[in-house]
Protein backbone atom coordinates (compact mmCIF):
# COMPACT_ATOMS: atom_id res chain seq x y z
CA UNK A 1 0.00 0.00 0.00
CA UNK A 2 1.34 3.44 -0.87
CA UNK A 3 0.97 6.47 1.40
CA UNK A 4 1.29 10.21 0.92
CA UNK A 5 3.88 10.31 3.71
CA UNK A 6 6.05 8.01 5.76
CA UNK A 7 5.17 10.09 8.84
CA UNK A 8 2.46 12.59 9.66
CA UNK A 9 3.01 14.53 12.91
CA UNK A 10 0.11 16.27 14.64
CA UNK A 11 1.49 19.06 16.82
CA UNK A 12 4.24 21.62 16.26
CA UNK A 13 5.70 21.79 19.75
CA UNK A 14 9.22 20.83 20.77
CA UNK A 15 8.63 17.07 20.67
CA UNK A 16 6.72 16.97 17.40
CA UNK A 17 9.11 19.32 15.60
CA UNK A 18 12.15 17.36 16.75
CA UNK A 19 10.70 14.04 15.60
CA UNK A 20 9.60 15.49 12.25
CA UNK A 21 12.83 17.23 11.36
CA UNK A 22 15.09 14.33 12.43
CA UNK A 23 12.97 11.75 10.59
CA UNK A 24 13.00 13.89 7.44
CA UNK A 25 16.48 15.37 7.62
CA UNK A 26 18.46 12.41 8.92
CA UNK A 27 16.61 9.31 7.72
CA UNK A 28 15.18 10.61 4.43
CA UNK A 29 11.58 9.93 5.42
CA UNK A 30 8.81 11.88 3.71
CA UNK A 31 7.25 13.86 6.57
CA UNK A 32 4.37 16.27 7.07
CA UNK A 33 3.33 18.19 10.20
CA UNK A 34 0.12 19.99 11.12
CA UNK A 35 -0.15 22.69 13.79
CA UNK A 36 -3.33 24.65 14.45
CA UNK A 37 -1.74 27.34 16.60
CA UNK A 38 1.83 28.67 16.85
CA UNK A 39 4.95 26.62 16.16
CA UNK A 40 7.05 25.98 19.23
CA UNK A 41 4.18 24.81 21.40
CA UNK A 42 3.77 25.39 25.11
CA UNK A 43 7.46 25.69 25.90
CA UNK A 44 8.41 28.33 23.36
CA UNK A 45 5.18 30.30 23.09
CA UNK A 46 3.42 30.06 26.46
CA UNK A 47 5.73 28.22 28.84
CA UNK A 48 9.41 27.74 29.59
CA UNK A 49 10.91 30.43 27.37
CA UNK A 50 8.67 33.44 28.09
CA UNK A 51 8.49 32.39 31.75
CA UNK A 52 12.28 32.31 32.12
CA UNK A 53 12.55 35.73 30.46
CA UNK A 54 10.01 37.00 33.00
CA UNK A 55 12.09 35.45 35.79
CA UNK A 56 15.13 37.36 34.54
CA UNK A 57 13.14 40.59 34.36
CA UNK A 58 11.74 40.16 37.86
CA UNK A 59 15.15 39.69 39.49
CA UNK A 60 16.65 43.07 38.55
CA UNK A 61 15.07 45.00 41.44
CA UNK A 62 17.03 42.90 43.93
CA UNK A 63 20.17 43.27 41.86
CA UNK A 64 19.97 47.06 42.20
CA UNK A 65 19.85 46.77 45.99
CA UNK A 66 22.80 44.40 45.96
CA UNK A 67 24.77 46.70 43.66
CA UNK A 68 24.25 49.57 46.09
CA UNK A 69 25.56 47.41 48.93
CA UNK A 70 28.66 46.72 46.84
CA UNK A 71 29.32 50.44 46.39
CA UNK A 72 27.61 51.17 43.08
CA UNK A 73 25.72 54.45 42.84
CA UNK A 74 22.67 52.94 41.16
CA UNK A 75 19.15 54.12 41.87
CA UNK A 76 16.10 51.88 41.41
CA UNK A 77 13.58 52.86 38.77
CA UNK A 78 10.14 51.70 37.75
CA UNK A 79 9.54 48.51 35.81
CA UNK A 80 7.98 49.20 32.40
CA UNK A 81 5.76 46.24 31.49
CA UNK A 82 5.01 47.62 28.04
CA UNK A 83 8.70 47.78 27.11
CA UNK A 84 9.37 44.27 28.36
CA UNK A 85 6.23 42.79 26.81
CA UNK A 86 7.06 44.28 23.40
CA UNK A 87 10.55 42.76 23.44
CA UNK A 88 9.11 39.47 24.69
CA UNK A 89 6.68 39.23 21.77
CA UNK A 90 9.48 40.04 19.32
CA UNK A 91 11.61 37.25 20.74
CA UNK A 92 8.78 34.71 20.63
CA UNK A 93 8.07 35.65 17.01
CA UNK A 94 11.75 35.11 16.23
CA UNK A 95 11.78 31.70 17.89
CA UNK A 96 8.62 30.62 16.08
CA UNK A 97 10.34 31.58 12.84
CA UNK A 98 13.32 29.43 13.82
CA UNK A 99 11.02 26.43 14.33
CA UNK A 100 9.31 26.99 10.98
CA UNK A 101 12.67 27.28 9.20
CA UNK A 102 14.00 24.13 10.84
CA UNK A 103 11.07 22.18 9.41
CA UNK A 104 11.35 23.82 5.99
CA UNK A 105 15.11 23.28 5.76
CA UNK A 106 14.69 19.60 6.56
CA UNK A 107 12.02 19.08 3.92
CA UNK A 108 9.01 18.74 6.21
CA UNK A 109 5.75 19.83 4.61
CA UNK A 110 3.69 21.90 7.05
CA UNK A 111 -0.02 22.60 7.35
CA UNK A 112 -1.16 25.51 9.53
CA UNK A 113 -4.42 23.92 10.55
CA UNK A 114 -5.97 21.34 12.84
CA UNK A 115 -5.67 17.66 12.00
CA UNK A 116 -7.85 14.76 13.17
CA UNK A 117 -7.50 11.03 12.62
CA UNK A 118 -9.90 9.29 10.27
CA UNK A 119 -8.39 5.84 10.54
CA UNK A 120 -5.09 4.20 11.47
CA UNK A 121 -3.30 5.71 8.47
CA UNK A 122 -5.35 8.79 7.54
CA UNK A 123 -5.67 12.30 8.91
CA UNK A 124 -8.17 14.95 7.88
CA UNK A 125 -7.17 18.61 7.95
CA UNK A 126 -9.59 21.35 8.95
CA UNK A 127 -10.05 22.34 5.29
CA UNK A 128 -11.38 18.85 4.54
CA UNK A 129 -8.22 17.59 2.85
CA UNK A 130 -7.19 14.04 3.73
CA UNK A 131 -3.62 12.75 3.89
CA UNK A 132 -2.38 9.20 4.37
CA UNK A 133 0.73 8.15 6.26
CA UNK A 134 2.43 4.90 7.15
CA UNK A 135 2.99 6.24 10.68
CA UNK A 136 1.14 8.92 12.62
CA UNK A 137 2.70 10.68 15.61
CA UNK A 138 0.49 12.64 18.01
CA UNK A 139 2.34 15.39 19.86
CA UNK A 140 -0.45 17.78 20.78
CA UNK A 141 0.71 18.61 24.32
CA UNK A 142 -1.52 19.77 27.15
CA UNK A 143 -3.35 22.83 28.39
CA UNK A 144 -4.17 24.48 31.73
CA UNK A 145 -7.64 24.09 33.20
CA UNK A 146 -9.64 26.17 35.65
CA UNK A 147 -11.44 24.67 38.65
CA UNK A 148 -15.21 24.22 38.56
CA UNK A 149 -16.20 27.01 40.93
CA UNK A 150 -18.53 29.98 40.65
CA UNK A 151 -16.81 32.82 38.79
CA UNK A 152 -13.82 30.80 37.63
CA UNK A 153 -14.16 32.39 34.18
CA UNK A 154 -13.01 35.70 35.73
CA UNK A 155 -9.56 34.23 36.29
CA UNK A 156 -6.70 33.62 33.88
CA UNK A 157 -4.20 30.79 33.45
CA UNK A 158 -0.52 30.60 32.55
CA UNK A 159 -1.56 30.87 28.88
CA UNK A 160 -2.90 34.40 29.34
CA UNK A 161 -0.44 35.84 31.84
CA UNK A 162 2.03 36.75 29.09
CA UNK A 163 -0.64 38.88 27.40
CA UNK A 164 -1.72 41.17 30.24
CA UNK A 165 -2.44 44.71 29.04
CA UNK A 166 -0.97 46.04 32.27
CA UNK A 167 0.49 44.67 35.47
CA UNK A 168 -2.07 44.33 38.28
CA UNK A 169 -1.53 46.07 41.59
CA UNK A 170 -2.86 43.11 43.57
CA UNK A 171 -2.91 39.56 42.26
CA UNK A 172 -4.04 36.19 43.60
CA UNK A 173 -2.33 33.04 42.36
CA UNK A 174 -4.15 29.79 43.13
CA UNK A 175 -2.12 26.59 43.27
CA UNK A 176 0.99 25.17 44.86
CA UNK A 177 2.82 23.49 42.00
CA UNK A 178 5.89 24.81 40.25
CA UNK A 179 3.92 26.98 37.79
CA UNK A 180 2.04 28.75 40.60
CA UNK A 181 5.16 29.25 42.69
CA UNK A 182 7.26 30.46 39.76
CA UNK A 183 4.72 33.10 38.76
CA UNK A 184 4.24 34.19 42.37
CA UNK A 185 7.95 35.02 42.43
CA UNK A 186 7.88 36.66 39.02
CA UNK A 187 4.96 38.96 39.73
CA UNK A 188 6.28 39.80 43.19
CA UNK A 189 9.62 40.76 41.68
CA UNK A 190 7.89 43.01 39.16
CA UNK A 191 6.28 44.98 41.96
CA UNK A 192 2.87 43.30 42.14
CA UNK A 193 1.37 42.62 45.58
CA UNK A 194 1.02 38.82 45.40
CA UNK A 195 -1.20 36.53 47.47
CA UNK A 196 -1.02 32.78 46.89
CA UNK A 197 -3.57 30.19 47.97
CA UNK A 198 -2.78 26.50 48.10
CA UNK A 199 -5.16 23.89 49.43
CA UNK A 200 -2.36 21.56 50.64
CA UNK A 201 -0.14 21.69 53.70
CA UNK A 202 2.99 22.72 51.77
CA UNK A 203 3.79 23.95 48.26
CA UNK A 204 5.63 21.90 45.61
CA UNK A 205 4.06 18.55 46.48
CA UNK A 206 6.20 15.62 45.38
CA UNK A 207 9.52 17.39 45.88
CA UNK A 208 11.86 16.92 48.84
CA UNK A 209 10.20 18.20 52.04
CA UNK A 210 13.23 20.08 53.35
CA UNK A 211 13.90 21.74 50.00
CA UNK A 212 10.31 22.85 49.41
CA UNK A 213 10.09 24.05 53.00
CA UNK A 214 13.02 26.41 52.42
CA UNK A 215 11.52 27.65 49.14
CA UNK A 216 8.24 28.36 50.94
CA UNK A 217 10.01 30.20 53.77
CA UNK A 218 12.05 32.34 51.38
CA UNK A 219 8.99 33.18 49.25
CA UNK A 220 7.30 34.53 52.37
CA UNK A 221 10.46 36.46 53.30
CA UNK A 222 10.37 38.00 49.82
CA UNK A 223 6.91 39.41 50.50
CA UNK A 224 4.54 36.84 48.99
CA UNK A 225 1.46 36.33 51.15
CA UNK A 226 1.27 32.55 51.11
CA UNK A 227 -1.85 30.95 52.59
CA UNK A 228 -1.60 27.17 52.93
CA UNK A 229 -4.62 24.96 53.50
CA UNK A 230 -6.63 27.58 51.62
CA UNK A 231 -8.67 27.45 48.43
CA UNK A 232 -11.12 29.64 46.53
CA UNK A 233 -14.82 29.13 47.19
CA UNK A 234 -16.21 31.55 44.62
CA UNK A 235 -15.42 34.75 42.72
CA UNK A 236 -17.47 37.64 41.42
CA UNK A 237 -16.84 40.85 39.53
CA UNK A 238 -16.91 44.03 41.60
CA UNK A 239 -16.17 47.06 39.46
CA UNK A 240 -12.75 46.64 37.91
CA UNK A 241 -11.72 44.08 40.51
CA UNK A 242 -12.54 40.50 41.44
CA UNK A 243 -13.95 39.66 44.85
CA UNK A 244 -12.63 36.31 46.05
CA UNK A 245 -14.16 34.29 48.89
CA UNK A 246 -11.72 31.79 50.40
CA UNK A 247 -12.15 28.66 52.48
CA UNK A 248 -10.29 30.31 55.37
CA UNK A 249 -13.04 32.93 55.68
CA UNK A 250 -11.16 35.73 53.91
CA UNK A 251 -12.84 37.98 51.36
CA UNK A 252 -10.48 40.11 49.30
CA UNK A 253 -10.43 42.18 46.14
CA UNK A 254 -7.82 41.48 43.46
CA UNK A 255 -7.07 43.00 40.06
CA UNK A 256 -6.21 39.59 38.62
CA UNK A 257 -6.62 35.97 39.66
CA UNK A 258 -4.48 33.31 38.04
CA UNK A 259 -5.30 29.62 38.34
CA UNK A 260 -2.38 27.20 38.23
CA UNK A 261 -4.40 24.26 39.46
CA UNK A 262 -3.70 21.61 36.86
CA UNK A 263 -3.26 20.72 33.21
CA UNK A 264 -4.94 18.17 30.97
CA UNK A 265 -3.72 16.41 27.80
CA UNK A 266 -4.88 17.73 24.42
CA UNK A 267 -6.25 14.35 23.35
CA UNK A 268 -9.90 15.27 22.86
CA UNK A 269 -11.47 15.79 19.43
CA UNK A 270 -8.62 14.04 17.64
CA UNK A 271 -10.85 11.33 16.22
CA UNK A 272 -9.32 8.68 18.46
CA UNK A 273 -12.71 7.30 19.50
CA UNK A 274 -13.41 4.07 17.71
CA UNK A 275 -9.86 3.62 16.40
CA UNK A 276 -8.75 1.49 19.32
CA UNK A 277 -6.37 4.07 20.82
CA UNK A 278 -6.63 3.73 24.60
CA UNK A 279 -7.11 6.82 26.75
CA UNK A 280 -6.25 6.94 30.45
CA UNK A 281 -8.20 8.29 33.40
CA UNK A 282 -6.96 11.86 32.82
CA UNK A 283 -7.69 11.68 29.10
CA UNK A 284 -4.06 10.96 28.22
CA UNK A 285 -3.06 8.72 25.33
CA UNK A 286 -1.80 5.42 26.72
CA UNK A 287 1.46 4.24 25.12
CA UNK A 288 4.05 1.54 25.74
CA UNK A 289 7.78 1.99 26.46
CA UNK A 290 8.32 2.82 22.78
CA UNK A 291 5.57 5.50 22.67
CA UNK A 292 3.35 3.19 20.59
CA UNK A 293 -0.41 3.16 21.16
CA UNK A 294 -2.66 0.11 20.95
CA UNK A 295 -2.93 0.87 17.21
CA UNK A 296 0.47 -0.14 15.75
CA UNK A 297 0.72 2.72 13.24
CA UNK A 298 -0.13 5.44 15.79
CA UNK A 299 2.40 6.78 18.30
CA UNK A 300 2.25 9.61 20.84
CA UNK A 301 4.88 11.61 22.71
CA UNK A 302 5.06 14.52 25.15
CA UNK A 303 2.45 15.94 27.50
CA UNK A 304 -0.45 14.31 25.65
CA UNK A 305 0.78 11.00 27.13
CA UNK A 306 1.06 12.49 30.66
CA UNK A 307 4.23 10.60 31.51
CA UNK A 308 6.86 13.18 32.51
CA UNK A 309 5.58 16.55 31.34
CA UNK A 310 8.83 18.36 30.59
CA UNK A 311 10.04 19.78 27.28
CA UNK A 312 13.39 17.92 27.20
CA UNK A 313 11.53 14.68 27.92
CA UNK A 314 9.21 15.25 24.93
CA UNK A 315 12.28 15.89 22.77
CA UNK A 316 13.96 12.72 24.05
CA UNK A 317 10.76 10.75 23.38
CA UNK A 318 10.71 12.14 19.84
CA UNK A 319 14.30 11.02 19.26
CA UNK A 320 13.57 7.55 20.64
CA UNK A 321 10.54 7.31 18.33
CA UNK A 322 12.70 8.09 15.26
CA UNK A 323 15.32 5.54 16.35
CA UNK A 324 12.63 2.91 16.84
CA UNK A 325 10.55 3.49 13.71
CA UNK A 326 12.93 4.91 11.12
CA UNK A 327 16.37 3.68 12.12
CA UNK A 328 15.46 0.13 13.05
CA UNK A 329 16.87 0.56 16.56
CA UNK A 330 14.09 -0.11 19.06
CA UNK A 331 14.74 2.45 21.80
CA UNK A 332 12.62 2.57 24.94
CA UNK A 333 12.28 5.96 26.57
CA UNK A 334 14.35 6.34 29.74
CA UNK A 335 12.39 8.33 32.30
CA UNK A 336 14.68 7.56 35.23
CA UNK A 337 16.75 10.17 37.07
CA UNK A 338 15.63 13.26 35.14
CA UNK A 339 17.21 16.48 36.46
CA UNK A 340 14.65 19.21 37.01
CA UNK A 341 14.81 22.93 37.73
CA UNK A 342 12.02 24.92 39.34
CA UNK A 343 12.48 28.63 38.68
CA UNK A 344 11.08 29.83 41.95
CA UNK A 345 12.87 32.57 43.84
CA UNK A 346 15.00 31.03 45.27
CA UNK A 347 15.56 28.56 42.46
CA UNK A 348 15.42 24.82 43.09
CA UNK A 349 17.20 21.98 41.31
CA UNK A 350 16.54 18.32 41.93
CA UNK A 351 17.49 14.90 40.58
CA UNK A 352 16.66 11.45 41.88
CA UNK A 353 14.74 10.55 45.02
CA UNK A 354 13.57 12.89 47.76
CA UNK A 355 14.53 12.02 51.33
CA UNK A 356 11.01 10.75 51.93
CA UNK A 357 10.96 8.54 48.82
CA UNK A 358 14.42 7.13 49.49
CA UNK A 359 13.74 6.39 53.17
CA UNK A 360 10.60 4.46 52.19
CA UNK A 361 12.71 2.37 49.81
CA UNK A 362 15.84 1.57 51.86
CA UNK A 363 18.03 2.82 54.74
CA UNK A 364 19.72 6.09 53.77
CA UNK A 365 22.06 8.74 55.12
CA UNK A 366 21.31 12.43 54.65
CA UNK A 367 24.13 14.88 54.00
CA UNK A 368 22.99 18.49 54.00
CA UNK A 369 24.02 22.04 54.75
CA UNK A 370 22.16 25.35 54.73
CA UNK A 371 24.00 28.66 54.79
CA UNK A 372 24.02 32.30 53.67
CA UNK A 373 25.94 32.56 50.38
CA UNK A 374 28.81 35.02 50.19
CA UNK A 375 27.32 37.34 47.58
CA UNK A 376 24.03 38.10 49.32
CA UNK A 377 25.44 37.89 52.85
CA UNK A 378 27.88 40.70 51.98
CA UNK A 379 24.94 42.74 50.68
CA UNK A 380 23.14 42.27 53.99
CA UNK A 381 20.42 39.97 52.75
CA UNK A 382 19.51 37.01 54.93
CA UNK A 383 18.75 34.56 52.15
CA UNK A 384 19.73 30.97 52.79
CA UNK A 385 20.59 28.16 50.41
CA UNK A 386 20.45 24.37 50.75
CA UNK A 387 22.73 21.64 49.42
CA UNK A 388 21.52 18.09 50.10
CA UNK A 389 22.56 14.57 49.13
CA UNK A 390 20.57 11.37 49.78
CA UNK A 391 22.95 8.39 50.06
CA UNK A 392 22.20 4.67 50.15
CA UNK A 393 23.64 2.97 53.23
CA UNK A 394 23.93 -0.31 51.34
CA UNK A 395 25.98 0.70 48.30
CA UNK A 396 26.81 4.40 49.00
CA UNK A 397 25.23 5.54 45.73
CA UNK A 398 23.85 9.07 45.67
CA UNK A 399 20.14 8.45 45.23
CA UNK A 400 19.13 12.09 45.10
CA UNK A 401 20.44 15.63 45.15
CA UNK A 402 18.44 18.73 46.03
CA UNK A 403 19.67 22.31 45.72
CA UNK A 404 17.88 25.50 46.68
CA UNK A 405 20.05 28.41 45.59
CA UNK A 406 20.55 31.00 42.85
CA UNK A 407 21.65 29.08 39.76
CA UNK A 408 20.37 25.75 41.14
CA UNK A 409 19.18 24.76 37.66
CA UNK A 410 22.67 25.17 36.21
CA UNK A 411 24.18 23.14 39.06
CA UNK A 412 21.69 20.28 38.94
CA UNK A 413 22.30 19.71 35.22
CA UNK A 414 25.89 18.75 35.99
CA UNK A 415 25.09 16.85 39.19
CA UNK A 416 22.54 14.92 37.15
CA UNK A 417 25.35 13.40 35.07
CA UNK A 418 27.07 12.02 38.16
CA UNK A 419 23.84 10.67 39.66
CA UNK A 420 22.82 9.11 36.34
CA UNK A 421 26.21 7.38 36.16
CA UNK A 422 25.70 5.89 39.63
CA UNK A 423 28.24 8.00 41.50
CA UNK A 424 28.78 7.19 45.16
CA UNK A 425 29.24 9.57 48.06
CA UNK A 426 32.94 8.72 47.97
CA UNK A 427 33.08 9.75 44.29
CA UNK A 428 31.77 13.14 45.35
CA UNK A 429 34.29 13.25 48.23
CA UNK A 430 37.21 12.50 45.88
CA UNK A 431 36.30 15.50 43.74
CA UNK A 432 38.33 18.61 44.56
CA UNK A 433 36.17 21.57 45.51
CA UNK A 434 35.95 24.71 43.38
CA UNK A 435 36.42 27.62 45.78
CA UNK A 436 34.72 29.93 46.54
CA UNK A 437 31.42 28.79 45.03
CA UNK A 438 28.19 27.57 46.60
CA UNK A 439 28.34 24.20 44.85
CA UNK A 440 31.63 23.25 46.54
CA UNK A 441 29.54 22.22 49.53
CA UNK A 442 28.34 19.21 47.54
CA UNK A 443 31.83 17.69 47.67
CA UNK A 444 32.77 18.77 51.21
CA UNK A 445 29.88 17.22 53.16
CA UNK A 446 31.77 14.90 55.53
CA UNK A 447 29.25 13.76 58.18
CA UNK A 448 25.63 12.79 57.70
CA UNK A 449 23.17 15.05 59.50
CA UNK A 450 20.81 12.11 60.06
CA UNK A 451 19.86 8.62 58.95
CA UNK A 452 16.47 7.64 57.67
Amino acid sequence: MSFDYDLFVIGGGSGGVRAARVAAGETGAKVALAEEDRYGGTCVIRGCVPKKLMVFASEYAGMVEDAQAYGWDIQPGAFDWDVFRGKLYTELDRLEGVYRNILKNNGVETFDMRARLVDAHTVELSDGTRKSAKHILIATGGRPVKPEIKGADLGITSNEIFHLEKLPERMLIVGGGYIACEFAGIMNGMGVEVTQYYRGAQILRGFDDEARGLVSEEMCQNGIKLHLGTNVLEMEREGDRIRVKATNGDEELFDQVMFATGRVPNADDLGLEGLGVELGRKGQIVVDDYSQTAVPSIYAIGDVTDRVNLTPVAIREGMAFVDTVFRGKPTPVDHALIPTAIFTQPEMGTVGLSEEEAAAQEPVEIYATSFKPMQTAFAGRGRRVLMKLIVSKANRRVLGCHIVAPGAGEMIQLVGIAVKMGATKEDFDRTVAVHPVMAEELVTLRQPVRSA
Side-chain angles (χ1 to χ4, degrees):
M1 182 177 178
S2 62
F3 300 99
D4 296 326
Y5 303 99
D6 299 308
L7 171 64
F8 197 104
V9 179
I10 303 177
S14 298
V17 168
R18 176 62 65 91
R21 71 100 164 162
V22 173
E26 297 184 16
T27 75
K30 187 177 182 182
V31 181
L33 181 146
E35 169 56 55
E36 67 174 334
D37 195 0
R38 298 187 65 181
Y39 287 69
T42 295
C43 179
V44 174
I45 303 301
R46 62 194 76 87
C48 326
V49 172
K51 173 194 71 183
K52 188 69 182 289
L53 291 170
M54 288 181 75
V55 169
F56 290 145
S58 70
E59 291 177 334
Y60 279 101
M63 291 180 187
V64 171
E65 294 177 15
D66 286 355
Q68 291 173 333
Y70 275 86
W72 286 91
D73 183 13
I74 298 176
Q75 299 306 313
F79 174 68
D80 193 323
W81 170 250
D82 289 337
V83 170
F84 170 76
R85 188 181 61 168
K87 293 199 70 173
L88 177 66
Y89 290 174
T90 299
E91 176 64 4
L92 299 185
D93 289 345
R94 185 189 71 83
L95 291 172
E96 183 180 13
V98 169
Y99 268 64
R100 285 180 175 275
N101 285 332
I102 284 173
L103 292 170
K104 180 180 178 181
N105 294 339
N106 283 278
V108 178
E109 186 175 357
T110 56
F111 299 93
D112 292 1
M113 57 188 80
R114 184 172 182 81
R116 300 176 74 255
L117 282 77
V118 176
D119 58 41
H121 293 282
T122 308
V123 299
E124 183 176 79
L125 301 171
S126 52
D127 66 356
T129 304
R130 292 192 175 190
K131 301 291 183 181
S132 63
K134 185 176 182 180
H135 304 284
I136 296 171
L137 177 65
I138 302 172
T140 48
R143 65 184 185 277
V145 290
K146 298 176 185 178
E148 294 183 1
I149 59 170
K150 180 184 176 183
D153 58 309
L154 298 173
I156 62 172
T157 70
S158 57
N159 279 2
E160 294 82 40
I161 197 165
F162 306 109
H163 302 283
L164 296 176
E165 287 300 316
K166 62 179 181 177
L167 283 183
E169 291 182 17
R170 301 187 74 234
M171 183 172 189
L172 172 66
I173 295 179
V174 185
Y178 69 91
I179 294 174
C181 295
E182 287 173 338
F183 278 106
I186 288 168
M187 303 309 284
N188 179 65
M190 289 180 172
V192 177
E193 183 184 325
V194 176
T195 299
Q196 183 177 354
Y197 289 171
Y198 178 49
R199 65 184 181 181
Q202 185 56 283
I203 58 170
L204 299 172
R205 181 171 61 88
F207 292 96
D208 183 85
D209 279 357
E210 187 174 10
R212 65 193 183 123
L214 179 56
V215 172
S216 174
E217 181 182 319
E218 291 292 320
M219 287 173 64
C220 293
Q221 291 289 327
N222 289 342
I224 295 166
K225 299 175 182 177
L226 177 60
H227 296 268
L228 299 171
T230 304
N231 210 346
V232 175
L233 280 175
E234 60 180 64
M235 309 196 310
E236 61 183 10
R237 175 69 66 186
E238 189 168 309
D240 292 335
R241 292 187 151 187
I242 302 168
R243 179 171 292 279
V244 178
K245 296 181 181 180
T247 55
N248 64 358
D250 287 351
E251 274 196 39
E252 291 193 67
L253 289 171
F254 298 96
D255 300 299
Q256 286 283 359
V257 177
M258 173 182 152
F259 290 106
T261 48
R263 295 177 63 86
V264 296
N266 284 326
D268 47 333
D269 195 31
L270 286 176
L272 300 177
E273 302 81 2
L275 294 185
V277 175
E278 182 184 354
L279 298 180
R281 183 173 55 86
K282 296 181 181 179
Q284 77 274 25
I285 296 176
V286 177
V287 294
D288 64 13
D289 291 341
Y290 300 90
S291 298
Q292 189 175 38
T293 71
V295 179
S297 59
I298 301 174
Y299 291 74
I301 60 170
D303 290 9
V304 75
T305 66
D306 196 35
R307 288 177 286 180
V308 179
N309 297 336
L310 296 169
T311 300
V313 174
I315 292 171
R316 182 62 64 89
E317 290 170 356
M319 294 295 290
F321 161 78
V322 173
D323 284 343
T324 298
V325 175
F326 292 99
R327 289 192 170 122
K329 297 188 300 183
T331 304
V333 180
D334 183 3
H335 289 122
L337 298 174
I338 297 170
T340 304
I342 305 98
F343 296 105
T344 44
Q345 297 178 35
E347 200 168 296
M348 180 173 162
T350 180
V351 63
L353 300 177
S354 67
E355 177 178 345
E356 295 70 38
E357 290 169 332
Q361 175 179 295
E362 61 177 289
V364 292
E365 289 182 341
I366 310 302
Y367 295 79
T369 182
S370 182
F371 58 94
K372 295 179 182 179
M374 180 190 299
Q375 183 178 12
T376 50
F378 183 87
R381 285 206 272 176
R383 291 183 175 175
R384 301 192 67 82
V385 302
L386 171 70
M387 305 284 164
K388 181 174 183 179
L389 298 177
I390 317 297
V391 179
S392 167
K393 279 187 177 181
N395 58 25
R396 305 296 294 162
R397 282 185 62 171
V398 176
L399 302 176
C401 176
H402 311 282
I403 301 171
V404 177
E410 304 288 353
M411 297 182 217
I412 207 67
Q413 176 69 84
L414 300 179
V415 176
I417 299 171
V419 174
K420 187 73 171 177
M421 292 177 68
T424 65
K425 177 65 171 65
E426 285 65 37
D427 291 326
F428 275 66
D429 293 343
R430 281 193 294 270
T431 304
V432 176
V434 177
H435 182 74
V437 299
M438 289 180 286
E440 69 179 295
E441 299 291 338
L442 293 171
V443 299
T444 59
L445 297 166
R446 295 302 173 206
Q447 299 297 323
V449 295
R450 60 184 171 274
S451 296

